[in-house]
Amino acid sequence: MILHEKIAEQLPAWRERVAKLVKEHGDVVVDQVTIAQVYGGMRDIKSLVTDISFVDPATGIKFRGLSIPEVLEQLPKPDGANIPYVGAIFYLLLIGEVPTKEQAEAVEAEWARRAEVPGYVYDVLRAMPTDTHPMVLFSQAVLALERTSEFTRRYHEGMKKDTYWEPTLEDALNLTAKAPVIAAFIYRWKYGDKQEPRYQASLDFGANFARMLGVPDKGYEDLSRLYFILHSDHELGNVSAHATHLVGSALSDAYYAFSAGLNGLAGPLHGLANQECLAWLISVRDRFGGVPTRQQLYDFAWETLNSGKVIPGYGHAVLRVTDPRFTAQLEYAKKHFPEDTLVQIAELVYEVVPQVLKEQGKAKNPAPNVDAISGTLQYYYGVREFDFYTVLFGVGRSLGVMANLVWARALGQPIERPKSVTTAMLEDAAAQA
Ligand code: CMX
């Protein structure tokens, strides 16, 4: 299999590079930690390593060194599509090279071969009350698949540490292949015809997702590809990536690890913000019967802040500029459906809210993040069940966190175990400073 071969080819050089760095320069100091950071969610402490993506606070995400416009331009696309194959971004994240069309199609073929979801997983979901949040269903379905883990099977048989990455890659491919099918089933079971979706080997990941969800508009196939590419990875410290990495570091397999990542993604300060953001835009539309004036929007934003709430979709823990993932989605919407009321409101919010947040003076970044518009695009195509949106984020995020898990195993990253201290210790440190 092409992904296996390519990683195996690169591994000896990577292992040598990392071993040399740690052996010869292991005691070089890369960061210092303040009391504010220890008490402040470990913000900005450089303590994780990944070569798969990097978020520059001033420019945003780069996937293996490529910006979002470069990714959209350079990765191969299915015939007739405007957005690249999802298989192409997975190849880029895992291998670090822009794939040829054939290589991207080889990943797509692997997925098609592995997409079938065992019947008992559907039974687990059907046994749940229908008002269960879709993220609970998603996480539960992933966990239910754990018994199929190749890594865990091989681990218990006994395998050498330097081969851990091989069954992890198998799990990663199986999990990412099944994720869109599970997501589509959750959608149909909760809101639609309750049928089990069928993955068609003749279609790519994005087109399959659109068809399995039952969205007839061809444009939704491209939007699905765009959505999954943009949400795939955002370096390693964000909650979903870090939770997956942390749990995986105990040699829990890909299913345990990704289920944990999904549980973190479900929080309102992380992935759930996309559903909250669309709800906020709709409340603007309903209050003013359409696109408000700047002044009306300005007052509405202050009303939200004064009621103690955040403005969803704005602010970021790392970024200090407009998120390029927001820009890519806004451009897509303006190109394909510029007349849509919610798109126009989202654009006006982009003009007004940063100023409001600056005046409030709390948020370190008053600019929009990925969630500020993603729900608006889904809504346009008729996917209007807000609480499903974080599941879409999760399908995309599976790509990045699985690529990271494979490389963490390949490079033998150890169990995570940072040190905690007591408040009294910090007070002592402060007294001595
Ligand atoms: N609206 C109102 N206040 C905001 C704000 C917003 N959009 N963004 C930040 N603030 C406030 C914070 O609540 C914090 O207030 P307190 O000091 O009273 O606690 C203050 O500004 C400083 O926060 P910060 O350092 O700028 O931001 P953090 O790194 O702590 O948090 C984030 C980042 C994203 C959680 C925060 O900006 C936020 O809550 N945004 C709204 C929710 C959102 O869009 N989340 C999605 C993020 C992307 C993702 O992970 O999916």
Side-chain angles (χ1 to χ4, degrees):
M1 188 233 302
I2 182 125
L3 294 169
H4 186 281
E5 282 164 26
K6 287 274 175 184
I7 294 173
E9 237 170 69
Q10 295 179 9
L11 252 186
W14 266 107
R15 284 182 172 151
E16 198 185 319
R17 184 174 165 192
V18 174
K20 183 169 185 286
L21 187 65
V22 175
K23 185 162 178 252
E24 294 176 11
H25 307 285
D27 50 7
V28 171
V29 174
V30 287
D31 212 349
Q32 289 185 324
V33 181
T34 65
I35 289 177
Q37 287 175 306
V38 174
Y39 249 111
M42 301 189 280
R43 197 70 82 258
D44 289 336
I45 300 173
K46 296 187 185 77
S47 52
L48 294 164
V49 59
T50 175
D51 293 282
I52 288 173
S53 71
F54 180 74
V55 181
D56 183 329
T59 53
I61 184 72
K62 292 234 168 90
F63 299 114
R64 293 284 194 172
L66 296 185
S67 68
I68 285 173
E70 286 166 343
V71 161
L72 297 179
E73 171 70 31
Q74 293 180 24
L75 296 193
K77 303 175 178 73
D79 292 338
N82 293 313
I83 304 290
Y85 279 114
V86 179
I89 189 79
F90 195 48
Y91 186 103
L92 176 72
L93 297 176
L94 265 170
I95 309 301
E97 295 162 6
V98 172
T100 62
K101 195 166 185 213
E102 290 66 36
Q103 288 166 331
E105 285 170 353
V107 178
E108 295 281 350
E110 282 294 332
W111 277 333
R113 203 163 68 71
R114 298 160 187 263
E116 192 173 336
V117 173
Y120 77 88
V121 176
Y122 294 130
D123 292 341
V124 167
L125 298 179
R126 285 192 199 100
M128 297 296 290
T130 47
D131 64 354
T132 307
H133 194 280
M135 283 300 280
V136 176
L137 299 173
F138 195 10
S139 180
Q140 227 158 12
V142 168
L143 204 51
L145 281 169
E146 193 279 334
R147 60 182 282 284
T148 67
S149 170
E150 269 300 294
F151 176 83
T152 294
R153 190 181 66 76
R154 295 258 310 269
Y155 186 81
H156 290 301
E157 277 174 11
M159 71 176 148
K160 288 217 185 100
K161 194 172 174 188
D162 64 3
T163 61
Y164 282 180
W165 68 274
E166 297 179 28
T168 302
L169 177 62
E170 283 296 304
D171 285 353
L173 280 163
N174 287 329
L175 196 159
T176 48
K178 292 174 182 26
V181 186
I182 293 168
F185 177 73
I186 291 169
Y187 188 76
R188 291 168 76 153
W189 180 69
K190 263 190 81 91
Y191 318 111
D193 62 7
K194 305 204 180 300
Q195 296 302 304
E196 294 172 13
R198 206 170 52 82
Y199 199 96
Q200 297 179 52
S202 57
L203 298 173
D204 70 292
F205 190 103
N208 259 300
F209 185 74
R211 308 266 178 112
M212 289 190 296
L213 218 60
V215 179
D217 192 325
K218 274 290 266 183
Y220 192 67
E221 297 181 5
D222 260 341
L223 179 69
S224 298
R225 295 181 192 105
L226 178 70
Y227 192 99
F228 296 141
I229 289 171
L230 295 181
H231 288 78
S232 61
D233 207 35
H234 215 229
E235 66 173 45
L236 205 51
N238 69 79
V239 170
S240 51
H242 190 193
T244 306
H245 177 74
L246 169 68
V247 172
S249 83
L251 294 187
S252 302
D253 60 50
Y255 301 94
Y256 278 125
F258 184 52
S259 175
L262 286 174
N263 298 343
L265 191 67
L269 296 187
H270 191 18
L272 203 79
N274 58 13
Q275 88 172 49
E276 307 222 326
C277 189
L278 181 60
W280 193 79
L281 294 179
I282 286 177
S283 65
V284 171
R285 184 194 67 186
D286 293 350
R287 166 82 75 92
F288 302 106
V291 183
T293 64
R294 293 177 77 91
Q295 186 61 44
Q296 285 171 326
L297 186 60
Y298 177 91
D299 294 341
F300 190 85
W302 268 112
E303 215 177 280
T304 302
L305 292 178
N306 290 336
S307 70
K309 294 186 191 142
V310 297
I311 299 193
Y314 281 73
H316 202 269
V318 177
L319 274 174
R320 293 296 171 255
V321 288
T322 296
D323 190 333
R325 301 173 298 174
F326 169 84
T327 310
Q329 294 181 94
L330 181 64
E331 279 172 5
Y332 184 91
K334 282 168 67 177
K335 183 167 170 203
H336 295 285
F337 35 94
E339 302 305 325
D340 183 71
T341 307
L342 286 171
V343 171
Q344 293 182 356
I345 295 176
E347 212 181 346
L348 188 64
V349 171
Y350 181 33
E351 288 169 25
V352 171
V353 160
Q355 185 55 36
V356 172
L357 287 173
K358 273 187 210 153
E359 286 170 23
Q360 191 203 29
K362 279 172 47 170
K364 293 194 188 69
N365 176 25
N369 61 55
V370 64
D371 296 324
I373 194 165
S374 57
T376 307
L377 276 66
Q378 297 294 328
Y379 196 85
Y380 172 81
Y381 285 107
V383 180
R384 298 193 164 177
E385 297 77 8
F386 301 180
D387 57 359
F388 185 68
Y389 292 169
T390 313
V391 172
L392 296 169
F393 194 154
V395 173
R397 188 46 56 96
S398 70
L399 305 166
V401 299
M402 285 300 109
N404 270 293
L405 191 68
V406 170
W407 275 98
R409 293 274 199 271
L411 296 176
Q413 288 202 6
I415 189 165
E416 256 194 42
R417 180 52 169 100
K419 183 82 185 82
S420 54
V421 290
T422 65
T423 302
M425 289 174 191
L426 294 178
E427 284 164 347
D428 284 350
Q432 284 162 27

